[in-house]
Amino acid sequence: MAEAVMFPFDFTAYLAKARTRIESALDASLGPERPNQLREAMRYSLLAGGKRLRPILCLAACELTGSDSENAISTAVAIEMIHTMSLIHDDLPSMDNDDLRRGRPTNHKVYGEAIAILAGDALLTRAFEMVALRSPNVPKDRLLKVVGELSLVAGAPGLVGGQVEDLESEGKAVDLDTLEFIHIHKTGALLKASVVCGALIGGADEDLLIALSTYAKGIGLAFQIVDDILDVTASSEVLGKTAGKDLLADKSTYPKLLGLDESRKKAKELIRKSKDVIHPWSDKAAPLLSLADYIINRDR
Amino acid sequence: MAEAVMFPFDFTAYLAKARTRIESALDASLGPERPNQLREAMRYSLLAGGKRLRPILCLAACELTGSDSENAISTAVAIEMIHTMSLIHDDLPSMDNDDLRRGRPTNHKVYGEAIAILAGDALLTRAFEMVALRSPNVPKDRLLKVVGELSLVAGAPGLVGGQVEDLESEGKAVDLDTLEFIHIHKTGALLKASVVCGALIGGADEDLLIALSTYAKGIGLAFQIVDDILDVTASSEVLGKTAGKDLLADKSTYPKLLGLDESRKKAKELIRKSKDVIHPWSDKAAPLLSLADYIINRDR
């Protein structure tokens, strides 16, 4: 269902429609797993709401290539699965020991640690299943590239590496380089992959892939800076997770290292640059341009 | 390095050579991950020795198709990574709470729970990377099939589902059906995938795939029965893991449900049938025939 994007672009309607599609695809992605408890634990976290920013970016990037974004829906789901599994594992008592996520008790609080670990493992593998076995109509070489991309961002060179560095940095004074390493790996890598994988599914050429990578790197870092700012300025109620947690854990954050004003300025500058780089495709870039603005203007 | 298998077949030499190849490929599979602790934790468990039965089965199945088994080496490594990650996670305090594995302290005993969970996650994703990005010379449609197969056996329809059912069964009287569900998912699925993926890489036709699936299902179940028998009859020293653990945990096992003699008989019968089904390929089947015998005659 590739759509001709008309100006003025109604971003609110676009977002609502994309979210509905994604929620429905997420719901359909979990089969009748045995035992029940495993299925329930997987559903509990995958269908817990959230902004669905990553799958939306994936679909929007696929649309930018001129391809039917329906081809990217399984990949979009896969990306949200990887994101969800990383949240489940990061929240565990042996890691960030978090009780609240998206306004509800964390997975291990409801199902216990063993099931939470295993539900995460199952979501991670189901992500690869979505790409390899549940993406009809997409050329196999493109799917294999997506598998490769996801295997990098979900593992040691991505999410896992970032989380380990993050755990090691707790309570230590870390410099801006280490902070950026953590954010690029924990947050930036998957946001970037969301865009890149959508573009790969759509068959983007090398120029477009490079432009979209640059765009995605910029919004990824901006996203994290805004996260750090919100941790200081927003309430737990609005965030749906424990606010002020970074301060309590004595974590290094952008506001701590640069100050609030400088952090806001850095985020704005990153968003401006990200929008610039996809401007040549502006006739189809409206969703990605609006998504960049959305990332910096969000309140949770 | 596909080899012409000559009769009489020197299985001991075959096994030694295959293990050397696999150890060297496993060693090369882990790059300079940051942080150090993550890399060390991954290496600690992946390079902890072990029989390497799964990767050997994978290479042997590829050889049976007449293809160069060097094409299957990355897939063989991927399978051992999945096996290793499942051991790391199963050993965690919230699961089987095991202190000893392959004669050494378990991963979380050395690196802590958080790193053990993350090292497992990193090995699981690296497995998909091995197939998608580190398998040159293999047609992409075959690699995508392997990704699909591994995504099923590593996740809810395989290892994870089996482990959850196993955790739920602890301390309960379970029937033979549930016991077989657990074993098929926890052990059988990955053993079967080892054979099937090797055959897929080699481009096996439908007949051969079906025969090898049947072979692999049989040896997989026999393997588990022998495991249960060894838990009763062997010492911890020989096993390299805690013996008698199933009895202590009041787990259902084949010896408990069928008795020792009947269990041995069942395992022998499964091995005989497995060997029968690949007999039509007997000129190239010597390694797989010997591996079937090896599974039932092993003492650890």
Side-chain angles (χ1 to χ4, degrees), chain A residues 1-3 5 14 21 58-69 198 284 287:
Chain A
M1 287 176 283
E3 303 182 61
V5 174
Y14 179 87
R21 275 178 78 193
C58 178
L59 297 180
C62 183
E63 283 161 16
L64 178 51
T65 67
S67 177
D68 185 346
S69 68
K284 285 184 199 145

Side-chain angles (χ1 to χ4, degrees), chain A residues 16-49:
Chain A
K17 197 174 166 190
R19 278 197 185 126
T20 305
R21 275 178 78 193
I22 288 157
E23 291 301 331
S24 144
L26 288 171
D27 186 68
S29 69
L30 297 180
E33 285 83 11
R34 174 177 168 184
N36 280 342
Q37 222 200 349
L38 174 61
R39 179 177 65 245
E40 280 165 27
M42 290 168 78
R43 292 187 74 82
Y44 178 80
S45 291
L46 190 65
L47 304 178

Side-chain angles (χ1 to χ4, degrees), chain A:
Chain A
M1 287 176 283
E3 303 182 61
V5 174
M6 307 298 284
F7 289 91
F9 176 62
D10 185 348
F11 182 60
T12 310
Y14 179 87
L15 215 52
K17 197 174 166 190
R19 278 197 185 126
T20 305
R21 275 178 78 193
I22 288 157
E23 291 301 331
S24 144
L26 288 171
D27 186 68
S29 69
L30 297 180
E33 285 83 11
R34 174 177 168 184
N36 280 342
Q37 222 200 349
L38 174 61
R39 179 177 65 245
E40 280 165 27
M42 290 168 78
R43 292 187 74 82
Y44 178 80
S45 291
L46 190 65
L47 304 178
K51 295 179 286 292
R52 310 306 192 192
L53 181 61
R54 291 159 192 80
I56 293 172
L57 283 167
C58 178
L59 297 180
C62 183
E63 283 161 16
L64 178 51
T65 67
S67 177
D68 185 346
S69 68
E70 197 55 30
N71 292 334
I73 191 80
S74 289
T75 295
V77 165
I79 287 164
E80 190 69 4
M81 285 174 167
I82 290 171
H83 175 54
T84 303
M85 83 74 64
S86 82
L87 298 180
I88 296 174
H89 282 190
D90 287 2
D91 285 341
L92 287 166
S94 62
M95 307 227 203
D96 301 349
N97 194 21
D98 236 318
D99 294 348
L100 195 62
R101 168 71 67 184
R102 289 173 176 169
R104 303 197 303 169
T106 43
N107 198 292
H108 64 270
K109 280 276 159 191
V110 180
Y111 298 98
E113 274 184 66
I115 298 295
I117 294 167
L118 291 164
D121 293 349
L123 286 169
L124 179 55
T125 47
R126 178 62 54 88
F128 291 102
E129 185 190 337
M130 294 305 298
V131 178
L133 302 177
R134 304 201 197 182
S135 302
N137 308 322
V138 184
K140 297 201 189 323
D141 60 326
R142 294 183 191 173
L143 293 176
L144 199 69
K145 277 184 194 163
V146 169
V147 168
E149 188 75 23
L150 294 181
S151 74
L152 294 175
V153 298
L159 292 173
V160 173
Q163 174 67 1
V164 175
E165 188 78 43
D166 195 12
L167 289 171
E168 289 190 355
S169 301
E170 228 163 277
K172 281 186 207 163
V174 303
D175 54 21
L176 197 61
D177 273 358
T178 307
L179 183 64
E180 296 210 337
F181 177 93
I182 293 169
H183 290 334
I184 286 169
H185 288 74
K186 274 193 78 165
T187 314
L190 192 58
L191 282 165
K192 179 168 161 251
S194 306
V195 175
V196 167
C197 290
L200 284 171
I201 294 284
D205 63 22
E206 203 52 40
D207 278 356
L208 182 50
L209 274 178
I210 291 169
L212 284 175
S213 286
T214 311
Y215 160 87
K217 261 188 233 170
I219 63 161
L221 192 50
F223 181 89
Q224 186 58 52
I225 296 174
V226 173
D227 242 24
D228 282 2
I229 294 172
L230 289 173
D231 188 76
V232 180
T233 59
S235 69
S236 298
E237 202 182 335
V238 172
L239 287 182
K241 61 184 176 185
T242 318
K245 208 174 164 274
D246 297 343
L247 281 172
L248 278 174
D250 197 24
K251 278 196 180 181
S252 291
T253 64
Y254 284 94
K256 203 168 142 188
L257 286 176
L258 302 179
L260 263 178
D261 282 350
E262 204 56 36
S263 300
R264 284 200 185 99
K265 217 168 113 184
K266 187 172 162 109
K268 269 184 200 159
E269 183 59 14
L270 285 162
I271 293 295
R272 190 190 59 74
K273 281 189 187 162
S274 289
K275 289 168 72 177
D276 277 357
V277 83
I278 56 167
H279 223 76
W281 291 269
S282 63
D283 58 324
K284 285 184 199 145
L288 288 179
L289 291 169
S290 298
L291 281 161
D293 288 330
Y294 169 74
I295 279 171
I296 200 159
N297 295 324
R298 71 203 168 93
D299 61 358
R300 65 188 177 96

Side-chain angles (χ1 to χ4, degrees), chain B residues 83-132:
Chain B
H83 175 55
T84 303
M85 83 72 66
S86 82
L87 298 180
I88 297 175
H89 282 191
D90 287 3
D91 285 341
L92 287 167
S94 62
M95 307 227 202
D96 300 348
N97 193 21
D98 235 318
D99 295 348
L100 196 62
R101 169 71 65 184
R102 289 174 176 167
R104 303 198 304 170
T106 44
N107 199 291
H108 64 270
K109 281 275 159 190
V110 181
Y111 298 97
E113 274 184 68
I115 298 296
I117 294 167
L118 291 164
D121 293 350
L123 286 169
L124 179 56
T125 47
R126 179 62 53 89
F128 291 102
E129 184 189 336
M130 294 305 299
V131 179

